[in-house]
Amino acid sequence: MAREQTEVRDLQEGNYVMINDVPSKITSYSTSKPGKHGSAKARVEGTGVFDSQKRNFTQPVDAKVWVPIIERKQGQVVSTSDGEMQVMDLETYETITMRIPGSEDITADDEIEYLEYEGNRKLV
């Protein structure tokens, strides 16, 4: 698994973090002051990178969390048909099949940028 461990206090909005074992992009980060008997807590809200579902967690700021290492790659569209496209990775020349998001107008020979993590891919 491509991921690394970091403390909650090192997270920032826009970073990626694993929430419920799903890679998520942080949309909100807030901390509370330490109390008489407790340490400072952080509340992190995020949106799933590949499923767009909202998730959140609250943990002490010195707790360890996993951060996924999501690769940003470039590819060239080889062909399109029935809502799917074949994309050739521009570094490895590997050909992969991806679903075309509904709002995108993609044709053959277009160059695209996509995110990849453990076999999941998303068009950027």
Side-chain angles (χ1 to χ4, degrees), residues 99-110:
R99 182 177 302 254
I100 299 174
S103 61
E104 297 291 329
D105 182 30
I106 295 176
T107 59
D109 295 334
D110 283 351

Side-chain angles (χ1 to χ4, degrees), residues 16-34:
Y16 297 115
V17 66
M18 297 295 283
I19 301 176
N20 299 334
D21 290 331
V22 176
S24 304
K25 186 172 187 176
I26 297 172
T27 56
S28 174
Y29 177 88
S30 61
T31 57
S32 62
K33 293 181 180 178

Side-chain angles (χ1 to χ4, degrees), residues 6 11-18 23-26 47 49 66-70 72 115:
T6 188
L11 298 175
Q12 297 178 346
E13 288 185 17
N15 289 358
Y16 297 115
V17 66
M18 297 295 283
S24 304
K25 186 172 187 176
I26 297 172
T47 304
V49 175
W66 290 103
V67 175
I69 300 173
I70 298 175
R72 181 176 292 260
L115 302 176

Side-chain angles (χ1 to χ4, degrees), residues 49-92:
V49 175
F50 300 106
D51 62 2
S52 300
Q53 289 190 352
K54 290 184 178 180
R55 296 177 178 84
N56 63 57
F57 68 87
T58 304
Q59 288 192 344
V61 293
D62 58 349
K64 300 277 189 180
V65 292
W66 290 103
V67 175
I69 300 173
I70 298 175
E71 295 182 58
R72 181 176 292 260
K73 295 183 170 185
Q74 293 187 337
Q76 182 175 8
V77 177
V78 177
S79 66
T80 60
S81 65
D82 297 334
E84 292 187 342
M85 61 182 167
Q86 284 196 324
V87 178
M88 180 179 67
D89 189 302
L90 292 180
E91 286 184 20
T92 63

